[in-house]
Amino acid sequence: MSTRFLTHFSAFALVSFAVLFGLRAGFGAAVVHPLAPYVLGALLALTLLTYWFTARTTRRSPDNFLAAYFGGVGLRLVLGIGMVLAYFYTGGINDDHGLLTFLGAFFLGYFLCAGFEIWAIFSNLRPFSAKQLPKSE
């Protein structure tokens, strides 16, 4: 993984946790589910995993970028659904307000992490597209 990505990722993670704990301190469990830091941590770990998977596969063969990217997206989706189902299985579906705050925290974190990953991957595509452009005379 590149140091540029890790620097941006660290800043993103710190800001995400700072906002989460700020909301938790200000509003408590009415807005932020008690498991929200764990959900955010797991989603951030998934972001690292999918970025690593995509970077590793692309490094081996730049032509496989789309397969690697969509494989990472599929991995994120399957593990995310598994996280929500694990919460449901442990009795979270019976807690009305807790269910809404958990799902809110999950989907907000999921889409923020997915957006960050998309930004990080596509901001590094310039070297690949420069190689594929025909030279004009």
Side-chain angles (χ1 to χ4, degrees), residues 23-120:
L23 286 172
R24 192 177 195 180
F27 298 104
V31 174
V32 180
H33 194 274
L35 295 176
Y38 302 109
V39 170
L40 182 60
L43 291 172
L44 288 170
L46 272 175
T47 300
L48 277 177
L49 181 68
T50 55
Y51 183 82
W52 172 80
F53 175 76
T54 304
R56 183 171 181 235
T57 306
T58 304
R59 196 176 323 118
R60 287 186 178 184
S61 175
D63 295 333
N64 289 338
F65 171 75
L66 284 176
Y69 175 71
F70 286 118
V73 168
L75 178 68
R76 172 193 304 282
L77 182 65
V78 168
L79 292 176
I81 289 172
M83 190 184 316
V84 171
L85 289 177
Y87 177 73
F88 287 167
Y89 181 74
T90 59
I93 201 160
N94 297 328
D95 187 16
D96 293 332
H97 181 70
L99 175 65
L100 293 178
T101 57
F102 177 82
L103 289 176
F106 174 78
F107 283 113
L108 186 62
Y110 185 90
F111 290 121
L112 283 175
C113 288
F116 174 79
E117 184 184 352
I118 290 168
W119 172 80

Side-chain angles (χ1 to χ4, degrees), residues 112-136:
L112 283 175
C113 288
F116 174 79
E117 184 184 352
I118 290 168
W119 172 80
I121 289 172
F122 287 134
S123 67
N124 292 325
L125 281 182
R126 182 165 282 135
F128 295 116
S129 51
K131 289 180 192 175
Q132 296 174 0
L133 290 175
K135 294 183 180 182
S136 60

Side-chain angles (χ1 to χ4, degrees), residues 5-31:
F5 170 77
L6 291 175
T7 303
H8 288 137
F9 180 78
S10 299
F12 173 70
L14 287 174
V15 168
S16 298
F17 276 113
V19 169
L20 179 70
F21 286 117
L23 286 172
R24 192 177 195 180
F27 298 104
V31 174

